[in-house]
Amino acid sequence: EDTALQSVTTKGEPLSDSAAASDSPAVAKGGVNSPWRDPWLILWACVYASYFAMLFKWSVDRCQVYNELERKPFFLSRGWIGGRRADFFDSQWRQLRGFAGLLVGGCVLHVTIVRQISSPIAKFVLHALAGLPFVFFLHGMYVWYPISALLVNFIFAQTLPGIKIGNVYALPVAAWFFNCSFMLAAGLTDAFIPHSFGIVGLGFLDGIIARGVYAWDVQFNLTLLRLISYCMDCHWCHVKRPVNARVASKSAYSSSVENHLARSDYQSLLFLFAYVFYIPLYIAGPIVPFNSFCTQIRMPQKSFSFGTCVKMMMRVAAYTFILELMIHYIYYWALNEFRDYKTYNMPPWEVAWAGFFTLNCMYLKFTIIWRFFRVWSIMCGVEAPENMCRCVNNNFSFAGFWRQWHASLNQWIVRYMYVPLGGSKSQAWSVWIIFTFIGLWHDLWWRWLAWAWIN
């Protein structure tokens, strides 16, 4: 992993790239303060490496049986490495591979155009105008649903700031109630597709041209986070919420998140369209608050040079090759999803190993996706938080895991839910509200709620 992403403070929070780069040479090169001078660490590292090398060899030998069957298992697809079949069972990875050429070409074209523009207003116009055809390609005619939600939130932000109902401000309540209800209703009605309401004669709306290549309700979970960010940042600006100087002083990015914009910025429909439909971060994130996005459009980030971004993209390419290599030789991803362990006579320990291997595949997959879009955004001048701040196998507590896995969602939760609900003073009850939201946000399945409550 990148040195900056492995470096953590004593509180378990990731350091910025610049902070990590300033570490002493003695530590970085295995000097007197290096933990690698501890013989016990070296011993356990050797044990760990030997154990996993044995498991991987056993798994490759085991999966070779499936690869050599005359009638290939249904979950294996034609691969491109060594004449082997490949496990493309995961739909997200399969779709990403299918559109890889378009994504890379679009990234190069988009970055080239954006870097030629210096005027902030021109950048806002570009991101808004380029975003509309992009989301139409993704969602087809159903793009009107996220656009409608955006317009409703914009109306809230123009009419409700400062208004109280009793002792409660109207804007936060309206934003949370509407967006969460909209998300739940879309999930319960099959994304508001006409046939889900029993409407006949509109079957043409179910075609690929009408629905696009990516279901709008699946993506709306991220749009919801952006819309609530916009409304809450607008609300805090109007009520003159004090800026947390300690947080704002951590980095230029933290400052852009904490400091309020001018009130006129929250009254711009152009800014909101550019923010919500910003191409690099629209599909998968990471999540950037409204305040930070608008600030960085005006003053592009300077933490990462273009050369650094190119190196980061090369790492993404390396991670991609590693994942492709893994799914060409080990097929536990599909076996774990299919859950047909008895058919293949898998002993309990192998089932456990399959689950662990699948978790590592998920980690690599999301690392590739999130870092690709993050670097794309950085190249356009908008820094986004790193979502995978630590290797999945290097977490030793639930709290640490949630700080490091999908970190931008964790930061969003802290800013827009945990702190407004009272922070540590109300943690005993607020954590149940927060994790219920997280479970429903992922999907409307009971197993997601159970997973959230267990956590």
Side-chain angles (χ1 to χ4, degrees), residues 28-62:
K29 297 181 180 180
V32 293
N33 296 324
S34 173
W36 287 103
R37 294 180 64 87
D38 185 344
W40 283 106
L41 178 61
I42 296 174
L43 173 63
W44 281 112
C46 292
V47 172
Y48 182 89
S50 301
Y51 176 69
F52 276 89
M54 178 190 69
L55 282 177
F56 270 100
K57 183 181 184 306
W58 192 94
S59 302
V60 170
D61 294 341
R62 170 87 171 184

PDB file of all heavy atoms in Angstrom, residues 28-62:
ATOM      1  N   ALA A  28      11.453   5.570   7.590  1.00  0.00           N
ATOM      2  CA  ALA A  28      11.078   5.136   6.255  1.00  0.00           C
ATOM      3  C   ALA A  28      12.018   4.084   5.701  1.00  0.00           C
ATOM      4  O   ALA A  28      11.618   3.221   4.933  1.00  0.00           O
ATOM      5  CB  ALA A  28      11.036   6.344   5.314  1.00  0.00           C
ATOM      6  N   LYS A  29      13.298   4.131   6.092  1.00  0.00           N
ATOM      7  CA  LYS A  29      14.281   3.224   5.512  1.00  0.00           C
ATOM      8  C   LYS A  29      14.713   2.120   6.481  1.00  0.00           C
ATOM      9  O   LYS A  29      15.745   1.488   6.309  1.00  0.00           O
ATOM     10  CB  LYS A  29      15.513   4.024   5.067  1.00  0.00           C
ATOM     11  CG  LYS A  29      15.203   5.037   3.967  1.00  0.00           C
ATOM     12  CD  LYS A  29      16.443   5.792   3.545  1.00  0.00           C
ATOM     13  CE  LYS A  29      16.131   6.803   2.438  1.00  0.00           C
ATOM     14  NZ  LYS A  29      17.318   7.545   2.015  1.00  0.00           N
ATOM     15  N   GLY A  30      13.887   1.892   7.506  1.00  0.00           N
ATOM     16  CA  GLY A  30      14.224   0.808   8.422  1.00  0.00           C
ATOM     17  C   GLY A  30      15.303   1.188   9.414  1.00  0.00           C
ATOM     18  O   GLY A  30      16.139   0.361   9.772  1.00  0.00           O
ATOM     19  N   GLY A  31      15.309   2.452   9.861  1.00  0.00           N
ATOM     20  CA  GLY A  31      16.319   2.927  10.796  1.00  0.00           C
ATOM     21  C   GLY A  31      16.036   2.491  12.209  1.00  0.00           C
ATOM     22  O   GLY A  31      15.300   1.543  12.479  1.00  0.00           O
ATOM     23  N   VAL A  32      16.608   3.238  13.170  1.00  0.00           N
ATOM     24  CA  VAL A  32      16.553   2.816  14.572  1.00  0.00           C
ATOM     25  C   VAL A  32      15.131   2.769  15.111  1.00  0.00           C
ATOM     26  O   VAL A  32      14.849   2.003  16.034  1.00  0.00           O
ATOM     27  CB  VAL A  32      17.427   3.757  15.439  1.00  0.00           C
ATOM     28  CG1 VAL A  32      18.885   3.598  15.082  1.00  0.00           C
ATOM     29  CG2 VAL A  32      16.993   5.211  15.260  1.00  0.00           C
ATOM     30  N   ASN A  33      14.231   3.567  14.584  1.00  0.00           N
ATOM     31  CA  ASN A  33      12.860   3.599  15.082  1.00  0.00           C
ATOM     32  C   ASN A  33      11.925   2.665  14.314  1.00  0.00           C
ATOM     33  O   ASN A  33      10.739   2.632  14.586  1.00  0.00           O
ATOM     34  CB  ASN A  33      12.308   5.026  15.017  1.00  0.00           C
ATOM     35  CG  ASN A  33      13.072   5.969  15.935  1.00  0.00           C
ATOM     36  OD1 ASN A  33      13.482   5.574  17.017  1.00  0.00           O
ATOM     37  ND2 ASN A  33      13.270   7.200  15.490  1.00  0.00           N
ATOM     38  N   SER A  34      12.433   1.943  13.365  1.00  0.00           N
ATOM     39  CA  SER A  34      11.593   1.088  12.542  1.00  0.00           C
ATOM     40  C   SER A  34      11.108  -0.124  13.326  1.00  0.00           C
ATOM     41  O   SER A  34      11.899  -0.789  14.017  1.00  0.00           O
ATOM     42  CB  SER A  34      12.357   0.610  11.309  1.00  0.00           C
ATOM     43  OG  SER A  34      11.598  -0.349  10.607  1.00  0.00           O
ATOM     44  N   PRO A  35       9.816  -0.462  13.243  1.00  0.00           N
ATOM     45  CA  PRO A  35       9.309  -1.658  13.928  1.00  0.00           C
ATOM     46  C   PRO A  35       9.911  -2.942  13.368  1.00  0.00           C
ATOM     47  O   PRO A  35       9.871  -3.979  14.029  1.00  0.00           O
ATOM     48  CB  PRO A  35       7.800  -1.587  13.686  1.00  0.00           C
ATOM     49  CG  PRO A  35       7.642  -0.748  12.457  1.00  0.00           C
ATOM     50  CD  PRO A  35       8.757   0.251  12.522  1.00  0.00           C
ATOM     51  N   TRP A  36      10.481  -2.881  12.161  1.00  0.00           N
ATOM     52  CA  TRP A  36      11.046  -4.077  11.547  1.00  0.00           C
ATOM     53  C   TRP A  36      12.359  -4.509  12.202  1.00  0.00           C
ATOM     54  O   TRP A  36      12.923  -5.551  11.847  1.00  0.00           O
ATOM     55  CB  TRP A  36      11.242  -3.862  10.046  1.00  0.00           C
ATOM     56  CG  TRP A  36       9.932  -3.871   9.322  1.00  0.00           C
ATOM     57  CD1 TRP A  36       9.253  -2.798   8.850  1.00  0.00           C
ATOM     58  CD2 TRP A  36       9.126  -5.018   9.035  1.00  0.00           C
ATOM     59  NE1 TRP A  36       8.067  -3.192   8.275  1.00  0.00           N
ATOM     60  CE2 TRP A  36       7.959  -4.554   8.376  1.00  0.00           C
ATOM     61  CE3 TRP A  36       9.258  -6.382   9.274  1.00  0.00           C
ATOM     62  CZ2 TRP A  36       6.944  -5.408   7.949  1.00  0.00           C
ATOM     63  CZ3 TRP A  36       8.249  -7.248   8.864  1.00  0.00           C
ATOM     64  CH2 TRP A  36       7.110  -6.755   8.213  1.00  0.00           C
ATOM     65  N   ARG A  37      12.845  -3.750  13.169  1.00  0.00           N
ATOM     66  CA  ARG A  37      14.015  -4.186  13.930  1.00  0.00           C
ATOM     67  C   ARG A  37      13.627  -5.148  15.051  1.00  0.00           C
ATOM     68  O   ARG A  37      14.477  -5.745  15.694  1.00  0.00           O
ATOM     69  CB  ARG A  37      14.746  -2.978  14.511  1.00  0.00           C
ATOM     70  CG  ARG A  37      15.370  -2.070  13.453  1.00  0.00           C
ATOM     71  CD  ARG A  37      16.079  -0.887  14.087  1.00  0.00           C
ATOM     72  NE  ARG A  37      17.204  -1.314  14.900  1.00  0.00           N
ATOM     73  CZ  ARG A  37      18.441  -1.529  14.440  1.00  0.00           C
ATOM     74  NH1 ARG A  37      18.693  -1.361  13.149  1.00  0.00           N
ATOM     75  NH2 ARG A  37      19.416  -1.897  15.243  1.00  0.00           N
ATOM     76  N   ASP A  38      12.327  -5.312  15.275  1.00  0.00           N
ATOM     77  CA  ASP A  38      11.830  -6.223  16.303  1.00  0.00           C
ATOM     78  C   ASP A  38      11.836  -7.652  15.755  1.00  0.00           C
ATOM     79  O   ASP A  38      11.125  -7.953  14.784  1.00  0.00           O
ATOM     80  CB  ASP A  38      10.409  -5.818  16.699  1.00  0.00           C
ATOM     81  CG  ASP A  38       9.878  -6.656  17.858  1.00  0.00           C
ATOM     82  OD1 ASP A  38      10.467  -7.717  18.153  1.00  0.00           O
ATOM     83  OD2 ASP A  38       8.870  -6.250  18.449  1.00  0.00           O
ATOM     84  N   PRO A  39      12.608  -8.572  16.331  1.00  0.00           N
ATOM     85  CA  PRO A  39      12.674  -9.941  15.789  1.00  0.00           C
ATOM     86  C   PRO A  39      11.336 -10.665  15.841  1.00  0.00           C
ATOM     87  O   PRO A  39      11.055 -11.521  14.999  1.00  0.00           O
ATOM     88  CB  PRO A  39      13.730 -10.622  16.673  1.00  0.00           C
ATOM     89  CG  PRO A  39      13.792  -9.801  17.922  1.00  0.00           C
ATOM     90  CD  PRO A  39      13.499  -8.399  17.499  1.00  0.00           C
ATOM     91  N   TRP A  40      10.501 -10.340  16.844  1.00  0.00           N
ATOM     92  CA  TRP A  40       9.186 -10.996  16.924  1.00  0.00           C
ATOM     93  C   TRP A  40       8.313 -10.609  15.736  1.00  0.00           C
ATOM     94  O   TRP A  40       7.559 -11.450  15.206  1.00  0.00           O
ATOM     95  CB  TRP A  40       8.499 -10.620  18.240  1.00  0.00           C
ATOM     96  CG  TRP A  40       9.045 -11.368  19.411  1.00  0.00           C
ATOM     97  CD1 TRP A  40       9.860 -10.876  20.395  1.00  0.00           C
ATOM     98  CD2 TRP A  40       8.853 -12.746  19.707  1.00  0.00           C
ATOM     99  NE1 TRP A  40      10.183 -11.850  21.295  1.00  0.00           N
ATOM    100  CE2 TRP A  40       9.569 -13.024  20.908  1.00  0.00           C
ATOM    101  CE3 TRP A  40       8.145 -13.781  19.103  1.00  0.00           C
ATOM    102  CZ2 TRP A  40       9.596 -14.282  21.496  1.00  0.00           C
ATOM    103  CZ3 TRP A  40       8.164 -15.046  19.694  1.00  0.00           C
ATOM    104  CH2 TRP A  40       8.883 -15.291  20.871  1.00  0.00           C
ATOM    105  N   LEU A  41       8.394  -9.365  15.321  1.00  0.00           N
ATOM    106  CA  LEU A  41       7.605  -8.939  14.157  1.00  0.00           C
ATOM    107  C   LEU A  41       8.066  -9.675  12.900  1.00  0.00           C
ATOM    108  O   LEU A  41       7.252 -10.131  12.096  1.00  0.00           O
ATOM    109  CB  LEU A  41       7.738  -7.429  13.969  1.00  0.00           C
ATOM    110  CG  LEU A  41       6.991  -6.849  12.746  1.00  0.00           C
ATOM    111  CD1 LEU A  41       5.499  -7.098  12.850  1.00  0.00           C
ATOM    112  CD2 LEU A  41       7.261  -5.364  12.603  1.00  0.00           C
ATOM    113  N   ILE A  42       9.381  -9.815  12.756  1.00  0.00           N
ATOM    114  CA  ILE A  42       9.921 -10.532  11.594  1.00  0.00           C
ATOM    115  C   ILE A  42       9.482 -11.989  11.626  1.00  0.00           C
ATOM    116  O   ILE A  42       9.091 -12.566  10.603  1.00  0.00           O
ATOM    117  CB  ILE A  42      11.462 -10.425  11.577  1.00  0.00           C
ATOM    118  CG1 ILE A  42      11.883  -8.956  11.403  1.00  0.00           C
ATOM    119  CG2 ILE A  42      12.054 -11.283  10.455  1.00  0.00           C
ATOM    120  CD1 ILE A  42      13.386  -8.729  11.518  1.00  0.00           C
ATOM    121  N   LEU A  43       9.507 -12.595  12.822  1.00  0.00           N
ATOM    122  CA  LEU A  43       9.095 -14.000  12.953  1.00  0.00           C
ATOM    123  C   LEU A  43       7.642 -14.187  12.542  1.00  0.00           C
ATOM    124  O   LEU A  43       7.311 -15.071  11.743  1.00  0.00           O
ATOM    125  CB  LEU A  43       9.313 -14.467  14.393  1.00  0.00           C
ATOM    126  CG  LEU A  43       8.766 -15.871  14.724  1.00  0.00           C
ATOM    127  CD1 LEU A  43       9.494 -16.922  13.896  1.00  0.00           C
ATOM    128  CD2 LEU A  43       8.910 -16.152  16.215  1.00  0.00           C
ATOM    129  N   TRP A  44       6.778 -13.346  13.096  1.00  0.00           N
ATOM    130  CA  TRP A  44       5.358 -13.495  12.791  1.00  0.00           C
ATOM    131  C   TRP A  44       5.052 -13.127  11.343  1.00  0.00           C
ATOM    132  O   TRP A  44       4.135 -13.693  10.740  1.00  0.00           O
ATOM    133  CB  TRP A  44       4.521 -12.623  13.745  1.00  0.00           C
ATOM    134  CG  TRP A  44       4.360 -13.271  15.078  1.00  0.00           C
ATOM    135  CD1 TRP A  44       4.887 -12.852  16.264  1.00  0.00           C
ATOM    136  CD2 TRP A  44       3.655 -14.482  15.366  1.00  0.00           C
ATOM    137  NE1 TRP A  44       4.559 -13.713  17.276  1.00  0.00           N
ATOM    138  CE2 TRP A  44       3.782 -14.722  16.753  1.00  0.00           C
ATOM    139  CE3 TRP A  44       2.916 -15.378  14.605  1.00  0.00           C
ATOM    140  CZ2 TRP A  44       3.219 -15.828  17.386  1.00  0.00           C
ATOM    141  CZ3 TRP A  44       2.341 -16.488  15.237  1.00  0.00           C
ATOM    142  CH2 TRP A  44       2.501 -16.700  16.600  1.00  0.00           C
ATOM    143  N   ALA A  45       5.801 -12.213  10.767  1.00  0.00           N
ATOM    144  CA  ALA A  45       5.619 -11.895   9.351  1.00  0.00           C
ATOM    145  C   ALA A  45       5.963 -13.108   8.487  1.00  0.00           C
ATOM    146  O   ALA A  45       5.272 -13.407   7.505  1.00  0.00           O
ATOM    147  CB  ALA A  45       6.486 -10.701   8.959  1.00  0.00           C
ATOM    148  N   CYS A  46       7.008 -13.836   8.864  1.00  0.00           N
ATOM    149  CA  CYS A  46       7.385 -15.044   8.115  1.00  0.00           C
ATOM    150  C   CYS A  46       6.325 -16.128   8.270  1.00  0.00           C
ATOM    151  O   CYS A  46       5.968 -16.814   7.299  1.00  0.00           O
ATOM    152  CB  CYS A  46       8.735 -15.560   8.603  1.00  0.00           C
ATOM    153  SG  CYS A  46      10.136 -14.471   8.215  1.00  0.00           S
ATOM    154  N   VAL A  47       5.808 -16.285   9.502  1.00  0.00           N
ATOM    155  CA  VAL A  47       4.743 -17.274   9.729  1.00  0.00           C
ATOM    156  C   VAL A  47       3.513 -16.922   8.905  1.00  0.00           C
ATOM    157  O   VAL A  47       2.901 -17.785   8.242  1.00  0.00           O
ATOM    158  CB  VAL A  47       4.390 -17.343  11.232  1.00  0.00           C
ATOM    159  CG1 VAL A  47       3.150 -18.211  11.456  1.00  0.00           C
ATOM    160  CG2 VAL A  47       5.569 -17.887  12.032  1.00  0.00           C
ATOM    161  N   TYR A  48       3.139 -15.650   8.945  1.00  0.00           N
ATOM    162  CA  TYR A  48       1.966 -15.172   8.207  1.00  0.00           C
ATOM    163  C   TYR A  48       2.144 -15.408   6.709  1.00  0.00           C
ATOM    164  O   TYR A  48       1.261 -15.947   6.038  1.00  0.00           O
ATOM    165  CB  TYR A  48       1.797 -13.678   8.493  1.00  0.00           C
ATOM    166  CG  TYR A  48       0.610 -13.016   7.853  1.00  0.00           C
ATOM    167  CD1 TYR A  48      -0.628 -12.975   8.479  1.00  0.00           C
ATOM    168  CD2 TYR A  48       0.718 -12.399   6.608  1.00  0.00           C
ATOM    169  CE1 TYR A  48      -1.716 -12.355   7.903  1.00  0.00           C
ATOM    170  CE2 TYR A  48      -0.364 -11.773   6.006  1.00  0.00           C
ATOM    171  CZ  TYR A  48      -1.578 -11.756   6.667  1.00  0.00           C
ATOM    172  OH  TYR A  48      -2.649 -11.137   6.075  1.00  0.00           O
ATOM    173  N   ALA A  49       3.306 -15.032   6.173  1.00  0.00           N
ATOM    174  CA  ALA A  49       3.560 -15.180   4.741  1.00  0.00           C
ATOM    175  C   ALA A  49       3.548 -16.649   4.339  1.00  0.00           C
ATOM    176  O   ALA A  49       2.983 -17.026   3.301  1.00  0.00           O
ATOM    177  CB  ALA A  49       4.891 -14.525   4.374  1.00  0.00           C
ATOM    178  N   SER A  50       4.166 -17.514   5.156  1.00  0.00           N
ATOM    179  CA  SER A  50       4.222 -18.951   4.840  1.00  0.00           C
ATOM    180  C   SER A  50       2.830 -19.561   4.871  1.00  0.00           C
ATOM    181  O   SER A  50       2.462 -20.371   4.007  1.00  0.00           O
ATOM    182  CB  SER A  50       5.137 -19.679   5.838  1.00  0.00           C
ATOM    183  OG  SER A  50       6.439 -19.139   5.806  1.00  0.00           O
ATOM    184  N   TYR A  51       2.039 -19.177   5.863  1.00  0.00           N
ATOM    185  CA  TYR A  51       0.683 -19.721   6.003  1.00  0.00           C
ATOM    186  C   TYR A  51      -0.178 -19.349   4.804  1.00  0.00           C
ATOM    187  O   TYR A  51      -0.858 -20.199   4.217  1.00  0.00           O
ATOM    188  CB  TYR A  51       0.074 -19.189   7.302  1.00  0.00           C
ATOM    189  CG  TYR A  51      -1.363 -19.599   7.518  1.00  0.00           C
ATOM    190  CD1 TYR A  51      -1.692 -20.929   7.790  1.00  0.00           C
ATOM    191  CD2 TYR A  51      -2.381 -18.662   7.482  1.00  0.00           C
ATOM    192  CE1 TYR A  51      -3.008 -21.303   8.002  1.00  0.00           C
ATOM    193  CE2 TYR A  51      -3.708 -19.033   7.687  1.00  0.00           C
ATOM    194  CZ  TYR A  51      -4.007 -20.352   7.955  1.00  0.00           C
ATOM    195  OH  TYR A  51      -5.306 -20.721   8.150  1.00  0.00           O
ATOM    196  N   PHE A  52      -0.127 -18.084   4.408  1.00  0.00           N
ATOM    197  CA  PHE A  52      -0.965 -17.661   3.296  1.00  0.00           C
ATOM    198  C   PHE A  52      -0.444 -18.168   1.957  1.00  0.00           C
ATOM    199  O   PHE A  52      -1.221 -18.442   1.045  1.00  0.00           O
ATOM    200  CB  PHE A  52      -1.108 -16.134   3.281  1.00  0.00           C
ATOM    201  CG  PHE A  52      -2.184 -15.648   4.199  1.00  0.00           C
ATOM    202  CD1 PHE A  52      -1.911 -15.357   5.520  1.00  0.00           C
ATOM    203  CD2 PHE A  52      -3.488 -15.529   3.744  1.00  0.00           C
ATOM    204  CE1 PHE A  52      -2.916 -14.930   6.369  1.00  0.00           C
ATOM    205  CE2 PHE A  52      -4.498 -15.103   4.590  1.00  0.00           C
ATOM    206  CZ  PHE A  52      -4.216 -14.808   5.905  1.00  0.00           C
ATOM    207  N   ALA A  53       0.862 -18.334   1.836  1.00  0.00           N
ATOM    208  CA  ALA A  53       1.395 -18.936   0.621  1.00  0.00           C
ATOM    209  C   ALA A  53       0.898 -20.369   0.479  1.00  0.00           C
ATOM    210  O   ALA A  53       0.530 -20.818  -0.621  1.00  0.00           O
ATOM    211  CB  ALA A  53       2.922 -18.904   0.654  1.00  0.00           C
ATOM    212  N   MET A  54       0.842 -21.099   1.600  1.00  0.00           N
ATOM    213  CA  MET A  54       0.336 -22.463   1.581  1.00  0.00           C
ATOM    214  C   MET A  54      -1.141 -22.500   1.194  1.00  0.00           C
ATOM    215  O   MET A  54      -1.577 -23.320   0.374  1.00  0.00           O
ATOM    216  CB  MET A  54       0.526 -23.101   2.961  1.00  0.00           C
ATOM    217  CG  MET A  54      -0.013 -24.529   3.077  1.00  0.00           C
ATOM    218  SD  MET A  54      -0.012 -25.100   4.799  1.00  0.00           S
ATOM    219  CE  MET A  54      -1.298 -24.042   5.516  1.00  0.00           C
ATOM    220  N   LEU A  55      -1.926 -21.589   1.786  1.00  0.00           N
ATOM    221  CA  LEU A  55      -3.354 -21.555   1.477  1.00  0.00           C
ATOM    222  C   LEU A  55      -3.603 -21.199   0.015  1.00  0.00           C
ATOM    223  O   LEU A  55      -4.476 -21.779  -0.638  1.00  0.00           O
ATOM    224  CB  LEU A  55      -4.060 -20.539   2.387  1.00  0.00           C
ATOM    225  CG  LEU A  55      -4.347 -20.997   3.821  1.00  0.00           C
ATOM    226  CD1 LEU A  55      -4.975 -19.859   4.612  1.00  0.00           C
ATOM    227  CD2 LEU A  55      -5.266 -22.207   3.843  1.00  0.00           C
ATOM    228  N   PHE A  56      -2.851 -20.237  -0.510  1.00  0.00           N
ATOM    229  CA  PHE A  56      -3.037 -19.852  -1.902  1.00  0.00           C
ATOM    230  C   PHE A  56      -2.660 -20.990  -2.841  1.00  0.00           C
ATOM    231  O   PHE A  56      -3.354 -21.251  -3.816  1.00  0.00           O
ATOM    232  CB  PHE A  56      -2.212 -18.595  -2.228  1.00  0.00           C
ATOM    233  CG  PHE A  56      -2.955 -17.320  -1.996  1.00  0.00           C
ATOM    234  CD1 PHE A  56      -2.748 -16.574  -0.843  1.00  0.00           C
ATOM    235  CD2 PHE A  56      -3.879 -16.859  -2.920  1.00  0.00           C
ATOM    236  CE1 PHE A  56      -3.452 -15.395  -0.623  1.00  0.00           C
ATOM    237  CE2 PHE A  56      -4.579 -15.686  -2.715  1.00  0.00           C
ATOM    238  CZ  PHE A  56      -4.368 -14.950  -1.562  1.00  0.00           C
ATOM    239  N   LYS A  57      -1.566 -21.696  -2.535  1.00  0.00           N
ATOM    240  CA  LYS A  57      -1.179 -22.826  -3.381  1.00  0.00           C
ATOM    241  C   LYS A  57      -2.247 -23.913  -3.335  1.00  0.00           C
ATOM    242  O   LYS A  57      -2.624 -24.482  -4.365  1.00  0.00           O
ATOM    243  CB  LYS A  57       0.168 -23.391  -2.933  1.00  0.00           C
ATOM    244  CG  LYS A  57       0.652 -24.538  -3.842  1.00  0.00           C
ATOM    245  CD  LYS A  57       1.968 -25.093  -3.373  1.00  0.00           C
ATOM    246  CE  LYS A  57       2.466 -26.160  -4.374  1.00  0.00           C
ATOM    247  NZ  LYS A  57       1.479 -27.212  -4.631  1.00  0.00           N
ATOM    248  N   TRP A  58      -2.739 -24.202  -2.135  1.00  0.00           N
ATOM    249  CA  TRP A  58      -3.789 -25.216  -2.007  1.00  0.00           C
ATOM    250  C   TRP A  58      -5.029 -24.787  -2.788  1.00  0.00           C
ATOM    251  O   TRP A  58      -5.667 -25.601  -3.455  1.00  0.00           O
ATOM    252  CB  TRP A  58      -4.123 -25.404  -0.532  1.00  0.00           C
ATOM    253  CG  TRP A  58      -4.968 -26.626  -0.279  1.00  0.00           C
ATOM    254  CD1 TRP A  58      -4.524 -27.879   0.055  1.00  0.00           C
ATOM    255  CD2 TRP A  58      -6.395 -26.705  -0.349  1.00  0.00           C
ATOM    256  NE1 TRP A  58      -5.589 -28.740   0.194  1.00  0.00           N
ATOM    257  CE2 TRP A  58      -6.751 -28.040  -0.053  1.00  0.00           C
ATOM    258  CE3 TRP A  58      -7.407 -25.799  -0.651  1.00  0.00           C
ATOM    259  CZ2 TRP A  58      -8.071 -28.473  -0.024  1.00  0.00           C
ATOM    260  CZ3 TRP A  58      -8.723 -26.225  -0.638  1.00  0.00           C
ATOM    261  CH2 TRP A  58      -9.049 -27.548  -0.325  1.00  0.00           C
ATOM    262  N   SER A  59      -5.382 -23.498  -2.707  1.00  0.00           N
ATOM    263  CA  SER A  59      -6.574 -22.999  -3.398  1.00  0.00           C
ATOM    264  C   SER A  59      -6.421 -23.077  -4.909  1.00  0.00           C
ATOM    265  O   SER A  59      -7.353 -23.451  -5.623  1.00  0.00           O
ATOM    266  CB  SER A  59      -6.856 -21.551  -2.975  1.00  0.00           C
ATOM    267  OG  SER A  59      -7.041 -21.454  -1.586  1.00  0.00           O
ATOM    268  N   VAL A  60      -5.232 -22.726  -5.405  1.00  0.00           N
ATOM    269  CA  VAL A  60      -4.987 -22.802  -6.852  1.00  0.00           C
ATOM    270  C   VAL A  60      -5.104 -24.248  -7.327  1.00  0.00           C
ATOM    271  O   VAL A  60      -5.732 -24.539  -8.351  1.00  0.00           O
ATOM    272  CB  VAL A  60      -3.608 -22.218  -7.199  1.00  0.00           C
ATOM    273  CG1 VAL A  60      -3.251 -22.517  -8.658  1.00  0.00           C
ATOM    274  CG2 VAL A  60      -3.585 -20.718  -6.951  1.00  0.00           C
ATOM    275  N   ASP A  61      -4.514 -25.181  -6.566  1.00  0.00           N
ATOM    276  CA  ASP A  61      -4.601 -26.595  -6.935  1.00  0.00           C
ATOM    277  C   ASP A  61      -6.050 -27.074  -6.898  1.00  0.00           C
ATOM    278  O   ASP A  61      -6.488 -27.837  -7.768  1.00  0.00           O
ATOM    279  CB  ASP A  61      -3.750 -27.437  -5.984  1.00  0.00           C
ATOM    280  CG  ASP A  61      -2.257 -27.148  -6.129  1.00  0.00           C
ATOM    281  OD1 ASP A  61      -1.885 -26.582  -7.188  1.00  0.00           O
ATOM    282  OD2 ASP A  61      -1.501 -27.455  -5.203  1.00  0.00           O
ATOM    283  N   ARG A  62      -6.768 -26.622  -5.890  1.00  0.00           N
ATOM    284  CA  ARG A  62      -8.173 -27.024  -5.750  1.00  0.00           C
ATOM    285  C   ARG A  62      -9.003 -26.490  -6.916  1.00  0.00           C
ATOM    286  O   ARG A  62      -9.810 -27.213  -7.501  1.00  0.00           O
ATOM    287  CB  ARG A  62      -8.709 -26.470  -4.432  1.00  0.00           C
ATOM    288  CG  ARG A  62     -10.192 -26.587  -4.236  1.00  0.00           C
ATOM    289  CD  ARG A  62     -10.580 -27.906  -3.636  1.00  0.00           C
ATOM    290  NE  ARG A  62     -11.979 -27.944  -3.243  1.00  0.00           N
ATOM    291  CZ  ARG A  62     -12.536 -28.972  -2.626  1.00  0.00           C
ATOM    292  NH1 ARG A  62     -11.807 -30.035  -2.332  1.00  0.00           N
ATOM    293  NH2 ARG A  62     -13.811 -28.958  -2.295  1.00  0.00           N
TER     294      ARG A  62
END
